[in-house]
Amino acid sequence: MFHPLQRRPPASIYSYCARSAHWEGRPGLAQALRSRYQWLLGWFQKEPEKCPGPKSLLSLLASQCSYVTGQRVRRAQQIGQLYGDIYSERTRWSLFSCLWRRFQARHASACKLMAALAGVFLWEEERIQEEELRRSAEEMKHMEEVSRLFHSSGGEHQKLVSKTHVDITTTREEQPWEMVMDKKHFKLWRRPIQGTHLYQYRVFGTYTDVTPRQFFNVQLDTEYRKKWDSLVIKLDVIERDLTTGSEVIHWVTHFPYPMYSRDYVYVRRYDVDQENNLMVLVSRAVEHPGIPEDPEFVRVRSYESQMVIRPHKTFDENGFDYLLTYSDNPQTVFPRYCVSWMVSSGMPDFLEKLHTAALKAKRMEIEVRDYISAKPIETGSSGEGKASMPGAEHKNEDTHSPAQLEYA
């Protein structure tokens, strides 16, 4: 490549051009350069009122930039049209995704800023990963070991078994679990979340009068939940990832009086492992540019939930064990023990309502979408991408938010 010339005064440039022309055996060119140099020097030395002002120079620069930009845009359109004629839509999506991932790997922070300004949700960063599903399945295996120890030890060794649960499921860096509730088919533990005043909760239970498929489908069906959960104000699927089936959910729910209603924006992903006879549902809070905060609700930004279901026999026969691990930060000003009491009492109540809804759907043959047998979303000719869901409002007209006395 050519080496750039160093910046020199006009006289030096003129001397350089003149010497170059002389060396090439073209003295006429040197005379022409001398004339042009003298004309340019005289143009700059004119009276101030005849010289172009800063505005004129800026307008010339803007015109030049506009011309160059227009050329680049037209060139990009021609390239896009050419690739559209040559490749299919699926191949174009794959090519664009590959280029976007490369650019994002080099400029991660800039990509996030661009996505936020453009109102785009970055699935590469926010989707539920395979590792999260696998970790939840491993926790279920640990709890099954605890359950076997519990049944083999008998009631008199209950405290010892609870300690065994701590030894199995925690490491030295983690906080120990504390049993909060112990019933025949339902056990609730909690442990403090490091660095906060909040708790993480874990429920291990059993149902014998409903099939795992029905229980799993009722939990995932957002439309049916609007009917059986009276606390729901809004529950919509905002966007869906065609690669993994992950979904972005906007959930608005009532909180006990006098607290404001809360709204959650979270991504969820489920997996049905036919080989290992497991069903896993993982959810966690995310930020979505298409769902700004509403002053009527309090946005919950810290939320995680993992539900694992193990059928006793098959997906379509009654009986299964489930493991639910849950934590969130409702951003309330109430003391820690009040929040702990609300969660400890509210979680069993929610699970019982979910169980009742599954029984009702089974006995009354209410149509519930079968998520286990559902085929992957048809992507047409596109491979990797996203599907936006209609953002219709589903707010109940006969419900209203609690009185907002103060931020709680």
Side-chain angles (χ1 to χ4, degrees), residues 107-121:
H107 311 281
S109 58
C111 289
K112 291 182 180 180
L113 178 60
M114 291 170 55
L117 294 176
V120 178
F121 183 72

Side-chain angles (χ1 to χ4, degrees), residues 96 117 228 255 272 331 334:
F96 175 77
L117 294 176
W228 61 263
F255 259 50
V272 179
Q331 301 189 48
F334 291 122

